[in-house]
Amino acid sequence: MDLITGLLTTAFLAGGVLALAAIGEVLAERVGVVNLGVEGLMAMGAVTGIAAVSATHSPVLGFLAALAVGALFGAAFAFATVMIKANQVLCGLALTLMGTGLAQTIGRGYSGMPAAATFQPITIPLLSDIPVLGKAFFSQNILIYLIYLILPIGLSYLMFYTRHGMNMRAVGENPAAADAAGISVNTMRFCYVTAGAALAGGAGAYLTLAFVPSWSDGVIAGRGWIAVALVIFAGYRPGMAALSGLLFGLITALGFVGQARGWPIAPAFLSMLPYLGTLGFIIVPVIAWQKMRRAMAAPAALGEPYYRNVR
Amino acid sequence: MAYRIQRLPSSTPLIAFAARVIAVVLALLVTALILAISGHDPIDLAGQVLSSSLLDSFGLQDLGVIFIPLMLTGLSVAVAQQIGAWNIGAEGQFYAGAFAATAIGLFIPAPDWLSLILMVIGGFAAGAIWILVPTLAKAYADVSELISTLLLNFVAALMVYYVATGPWHDRMTNSSTPKVGAEIPEFWGAIHWGFPIAIVFAIVLALVLSNTKWGYEVRLSGSNPSAAEYAGIPVRRHLIMVMLLSGAIAGFAGMLEVAGTVHRLQGGISNNYGYIGIMVAVLARGSLVGVIFAGAFMAFIQNSGIILQTQGLTTSAVLAMTGLILFLTAIGEELSYYRITRDKV
């Protein structure tokens, strides 16, 4: 009982980083743009969060600042890939290198210091009395509710139940048809790529303000890449992205429990689990669930720039 | 007369090269600007970098030592590009090659020459094994190699860190393995024989790809897979072979780093070489001979970073600048497809 509650608590907390970044990437990929810069955006968000909090002592301001920095870098990426139509893979990798390098340069002064203020857990009356789930979910910091409830539900509604959501998906599936129907492909792509990048920046701040909570050079540790992989696993759905974030939070939590209880496995191998797990989760479903393939398929125009005057 | 901006289906090598030069110059200017704002004198720093790398024999040797792994990881990425695959995992394959070479050097008693040969084979094999799962997943299940190759980088880094600080650690240093017995002899100063071998390797591969039936089939499979399939070319078999070769080259780079330069295994031995290799391949625009020059240029950039460390700048600043060069190069590459034409009325 205690073990399960503890596992779930850590899983929600650890999975929040991946869930938030993955939801952001869903937004970008649904309009047809692969953003491989999530790792760098998270690094920038993480260091911005720490820097802003040490100046203002307000975690909320730190989080908002990270969103803004994520959006700024995302806008630069969107300008290159959507407006100029430069190669998305290269621009994404470039964003990862720039973000990681810049964040490490800025972060030198903050390295190893705990965050000046962090998001504190809030116990929700009544709901927190539910056995297991009450402690694990309804006694967490406020971002957890944003990540697991508000964003997935709100974005799922937006994407699948509104006209705007149809337009948005059309841009990712068939930009030429969307263009002909009067939707501005470039505007749609620019806005959602930028918004997705903002969430990636937020995910970085979540890491340094609610989860770790301090900055160090390797703090992102590939989480941005795992988030990109989770989007495939989640079938490009915000709700599934949040759930798969939670699933990976669980894997991380298992590693923590293993270390704490002294399982006879070297910590290095437990640290490998999320990466190997991610690899398994993007390969196994393709082979195992052939029938699900169409429902979980990537947007048809994913990764392809849209030129109005070509063909 | 009216001017028109037109996007052509292809771009000429000259314009693509010019776009790269402009991108690099712009990135250097932006970096200089940031340095100037943060209170450094960029011209003074540039002078120091030039005098202590290009105009100094020891500096040139350092450059050569960094060049070897960068050129080879660049070659690894460029080889995969021939068939349209992105190997983002050269970093991990580099670690795997270094790991295998160290294991052979430490635990298989053999005369030095035999040990070196075994290390080369081990390096190639380990790199190929490290990319095997992503390769098969791409070939048989159409799983994007972008993320699958990348994820294994973290696994390899953790594995190397674990053995270097754990079971294989040296009692003296604790953070690396003991010295590996067999060493590649030096060629000039600190530069070992891996230098000419790597260059010859790139040229031979370039010739094979441009002059053999196999090379032609690989390039066709890369540029138009369905046409290649229709022409009866075994696209999948070529894809598997080329990706394994790509991994093997990165593994070889890791092996050379252990046997020629560092002489022991330590965490972080790959120094982001795998990631910068992507940059090298992009600058070379997929040309295997171009990789030699792009590798030399990126070695200069990396070496500058090391020199500037004495001025209070970090290698991460160089990483950021590398990213900026890549970003501007990608934009420049796309813009090089455009022409401004004049309509005759």
Side-chain angles (χ1 to χ4, degrees), chain A:
Chain A
M1 161 65 205
D2 260 6
L3 176 72
I4 295 174
T5 313
L7 260 181
L8 274 179
T9 310
T10 316
F12 275 115
L13 197 59
V17 187
L18 296 172
L20 186 55
I23 291 171
E25 184 69 10
V26 166
L27 290 182
E29 297 203 6
R30 271 289 177 176
V31 290
V33 179
V34 185
N35 182 356
L36 294 183
V38 179
E39 181 86 5
L41 290 166
M42 283 176 75
M44 280 311 296
V47 84
T48 306
I50 282 279
V53 156
S54 76
T56 64
H57 288 264
S58 155
V60 176
L61 283 181
F63 187 74
L64 291 178
L67 286 179
V69 167
L72 190 71
F73 277 75
F77 172 80
F79 175 76
T81 54
V82 178
M83 300 305 170
I84 298 183
K85 305 176 209 307
N87 186 306
Q88 295 176 9
V89 172
L90 292 183
C91 289
L93 289 170
L95 194 57
T96 288
L97 295 181
M98 275 194 287
T100 308
L102 205 56
Q104 288 177 0
T105 311
I106 298 169
R108 265 202 309 171
Y110 304 99
S111 193
M113 284 192 302
T118 56
F119 281 99
Q120 294 303 319
I122 300 163
T123 312
I124 295 185
L126 293 175
L127 289 174
S128 59
D129 294 334
I130 305 170
V132 186
L133 203 61
K135 267 222 167 67
F137 188 72
F138 292 109
S139 312
Q140 297 266 23
N141 68 70
I142 192 153
L143 292 181
I144 289 282
Y145 309 110
L146 175 76
I147 293 168
Y148 290 107
L149 291 176
I150 299 171
L151 278 178
I153 295 173
L155 289 176
S156 298
Y157 179 78
L158 177 79
M159 274 166 60
F160 299 108
Y161 295 95
T162 64
R163 169 62 58 87
H164 178 77
M166 273 180 82
N167 290 350
M168 175 186 171
R169 285 182 289 139
V171 165
E173 298 288 348
N174 191 340
D179 195 10
I183 305 161
S184 169
V185 174
N186 281 359
T187 311
M188 192 71 101
R189 285 189 167 175
F190 190 94
C191 290
Y192 279 104
V193 169
T194 307
L199 292 186
Y206 174 94
L207 198 60
T208 48
L209 297 183
F211 181 44
V212 175
S214 67
W215 164 262
S216 61
D217 271 4
V219 76
I220 310 297
R223 287 188 177 90
W225 294 100
I226 294 180
V228 176
L230 285 185
V231 174
I232 304 170
F233 178 63
Y236 307 86
R237 288 166 166 74
M240 288 296 288
L243 279 181
S244 30
L246 179 61
L247 184 67
F248 272 78
L250 203 59
I251 295 181
T252 316
L254 270 177
F256 285 156
V257 170
Q259 273 173 32
R261 303 208 157 195
W263 287 352
I265 309 169
F269 292 106
L270 291 174
S271 317
M272 286 178 194
L273 273 180
Y275 310 111
L276 292 175
T278 311
L279 188 59
F281 276 110
I282 55 173
I283 294 176
V284 173
V286 186
I287 299 164
W289 308 326
Q290 294 281 355
K291 282 179 192 158
M292 293 281 283
R293 245 177 146 164
R294 280 192 68 178
M296 306 291 274
L302 185 62
E304 285 168 22
Y306 171 62
Y307 299 98
R308 176 182 271 179
N309 54 359
V310 175
R311 246 177 285 178

